[in-house]
Amino acid sequence: MTPSSTSSSSSASEPAGSVVDQAKADLTKRLGVDAAEVAVVSSEEVTWPDGSLGCPEPGMRYTQALVPGNRTVLEAGGKQYSYHSGGHRAPFLCEQPQPPSR
């Protein structure tokens, strides 16, 4: 697979286009819609405050270290979906997102 030369991120240090592509692919499969129906609202590099990557689950423990990653917000059918990634974890849908540290 060759990397795409288009990217919705202005950063040159992180291949955010591939993160966005992975998130869009997951959402289109999850919703059963065409990729053209999914819009990118935003995609930004972030630093998550811990290993939960801004998406903690009750009862889980997470590493207490800053984790560089990405937050991508997609929209389909009038609803927004937040995808988080970081460390070695691919983008995943976060149902109850929390803000990254700044």
Side-chain angles (χ1 to χ4, degrees), residues 12-64:
S13 64
E14 180 80 20
S18 63
V19 173
V20 171
D21 291 343
Q22 290 175 47
K24 282 184 77 169
D26 180 78
L27 189 60
T28 57
K29 182 178 179 183
R30 186 180 297 269
L31 299 179
V33 298
D34 188 84
E37 296 178 48
V38 177
V40 178
V41 175
S42 66
S43 181
E44 62 182 337
E45 290 182 22
V46 296
T47 300
W48 300 112
D50 58 35
S52 72
L53 305 180
C55 198
E57 295 180 32
M60 295 291 294
R61 292 189 209 185
Y62 300 97
T63 57
Q64 296 301 302

Side-chain angles (χ1 to χ4, degrees), residues 46-57 62 67 71 82 84-85 92 94-101:
V46 296
T47 300
W48 300 112
D50 58 35
S52 72
L53 305 180
C55 198
E57 295 180 32
Y62 300 97
V67 181
R71 176 179 52 195
S82 185
H84 296 190
S85 64
F92 64 95
C94 182
E95 300 286 346
Q96 297 180 342
Q98 294 188 350
S101 29

Side-chain angles (χ1 to χ4, degrees), residues 9-10 12 15 22 30 36 41 65-67 75-76 81 90:
S9 173
S10 60
Q22 290 175 47
R30 186 180 297 269
V41 175
L66 297 177
V67 181
E75 186 172 339
Y81 301 86

